[in-house]
Amino acid sequence: MNGPDNFAVPDSEDQDIAAAPHDPIPYVDGNATAGALSEVFRIDIIAALGRCRHCGSVRAFGEAMAFTDAPGIVVRCRDCHGVLLRLVETPSQYWLDLSGLSYLEIDREE
Ligand SMILES: [Zn+2]
C-alpha cells in the first residue's frame, strides 16, 4: 500500500488489459465480491444497477468481471473491460475506488 494518492491514480496497465479482447487473466463474476463488499456496503450492491464511466453500459453489478486473485479486488465492466471498482483491505482499513462507476442505482428495502 502506497497511500491514498497512489491508489487513486489510474495506471496505464488498466488500459492495456481493457484493450485486449482475449484477456488471459482469470476472473469470476461480480457475485464473488458479495462477502467483501457487504463489509463496506450495508446494501445489496450485487443487485444494484451500475453505469460504467468508460462505455456507458448499465448492468447489474453482479454481472461484472471480478478479479479476486490479487492483493485486492478489481471489478471490470463486462462490455469494455474498464475498471469499475477497486477494493483493498488492510488489517485496519478499506481502500475503495469507485471512480469507474458513474452511478449505482440501488433498490430501497420495502
Ligand atoms: Zn464499460
Side-chain angles (χ1 to χ4, degrees), residues 79-101:
D79 295 305
C80 75
H81 296 190
V83 174
L84 299 175
L85 175 152
R86 294 185 288 180
L87 176 67
V88 174
E89 185 177 348
T90 72
S92 60
Q93 295 174 310
Y94 290 105
W95 295 77
L96 178 63
D97 173 8
L98 293 170
S99 61
L101 286 166

Side-chain angles (χ1 to χ4, degrees), residues 7-42:
F7 183 75
V9 173
D11 52 63
S12 58
E13 186 174 289
D14 290 345
Q15 299 305 315
D16 292 340
I17 291 173
H22 302 292
D23 191 346
I25 300 172
Y27 68 91
V28 293
D29 69 32
N31 292 304
T33 65
L37 289 177
S38 70
E39 295 290 321
V40 177
F41 293 101
R42 299 296 183 205

